[in-house]
């Protein structure tokens, strides 16, 4: 055993087996290097009945914040209702894909992440935007004449994302518990700040639309 409060050295496998068997790993004598508890030690403790049960989890003190409640995932039917019939193909998951998905969720929720950013020079893109806007036809409106469209950088990014999704079909997909939903078109959602919150308009089939159509739909 180990003195109370002393750090316990144990292999990850030994810890997992002890946890699943309800055994307090600190009560197991280790036979590994430097007294490390290994799988054989836990197995011996379980079969010999000499290990103490793992201590029960302590009740949270009064006033402590409640633990976060895991959100219930959407059902397959709920996910599929988000998309028009015939606009996708279902590819059933194999066991490897399910395991990969489970491990990625565990990694995302238990391992701290950091994100990298990149500065891009958009001089050529901005020059093209100016050129396209200058060539916009004029239309009559209630407020007088106005250009038929006025492209923003966001409009061009939406179109670029749609083209990228069509070029890499494996990225143009949604997850359900039973199958991958591979989309035949690229719908792009954009977070837009409004007083009091955010809305997320979706440009449907952005891969088929011109920049001017995307621009006008975003303004609508």
């Amino acid at each position: 055993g180990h003195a109370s409060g002393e750090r316990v050295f144990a292999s990850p496998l030994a810890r997992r087996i002890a946890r699943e068997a309800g055994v307090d790993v600190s009560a197991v004598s280790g036979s590994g290097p430097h007294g490390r508890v290994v799988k054989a030690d836990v197995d011996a403790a379980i079969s010999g009945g000499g290990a103490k049960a793992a201590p029960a989890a302590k009740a949270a003190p009064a006033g402590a914040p409640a633990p976060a409640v895991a959100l219930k995932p959407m059902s397959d039917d709920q996910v599929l209702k988000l998309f028009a019939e015939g606009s996708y193909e279902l590819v059933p998951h194999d066991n490897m894909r399910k395991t990969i998905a489970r491990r990625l969720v565990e990694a995302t929720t238990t391992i701290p992440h950091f994100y990298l950013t990149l500065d891009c020079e958009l001089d050529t893109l901005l020059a093209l935007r100016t050129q396209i806007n200058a060539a916009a036809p004029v239309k009559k409106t209630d407020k007088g004449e106005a250009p038929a469209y006025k492209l923003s950088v966001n409009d061009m990014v939406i179109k670029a994302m749609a083209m990228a999704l069509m070029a890499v079909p494996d990225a143009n997909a949604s997850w359900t518990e039973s199958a991958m939903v591979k989309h035949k078109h690229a719908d792009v959602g954009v977070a837009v700040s409004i007083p009091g919150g955010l809305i997320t308009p979706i440009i449907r089939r952005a891969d088929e639309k011109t920049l001017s159509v995307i621009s006008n739909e975003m303004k609508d």
Side-chain angles (χ1 to χ4, degrees), residues 183-202:
H183 303 289
K184 298 178 181 179
H185 298 282
D187 298 341
V188 180
V190 185
V192 177
S193 177
I194 61 172
L198 288 172
I199 59 172
T200 310
I202 299 174

Side-chain angles (χ1 to χ4, degrees), residues 161-207:
M161 289 184 65
M163 294 171 66
L165 287 170
M166 298 306 294
V168 187
D170 285 344
N172 191 20
S174 301
W175 174 270
T176 70
E177 290 302 313
S178 61
M180 192 74 75
V181 185
K182 292 201 169 183
H183 303 289
K184 298 178 181 179
H185 298 282
D187 298 341
V188 180
V190 185
V192 177
S193 177
I194 61 172
L198 288 172
I199 59 172
T200 310
I202 299 174
I203 305 299
R204 302 286 184 184
R205 297 190 174 218
D207 52 298

Side-chain angles (χ1 to χ4, degrees), residues 114-171:
F114 66 93
Y115 299 90
L116 303 179
T117 59
L118 181 70
D119 292 330
C120 299
E121 289 188 7
L122 298 180
D123 295 357
T124 303
L125 179 72
L126 295 176
L128 176 62
R129 171 176 169 261
T130 299
Q131 180 183 345
I132 295 174
N133 283 339
V138 174
K139 65 177 182 179
K140 292 183 179 181
T141 69
D142 296 338
K143 298 180 181 180
E145 293 186 343
Y149 55 81
K150 186 175 182 181
L151 302 185
S152 68
V153 172
N154 264 1
D155 300 330
M156 304 179 89
V157 171
I158 291 169
K159 182 64 178 179
M161 289 184 65
M163 294 171 66
L165 287 170
M166 298 306 294
V168 187
D170 285 344

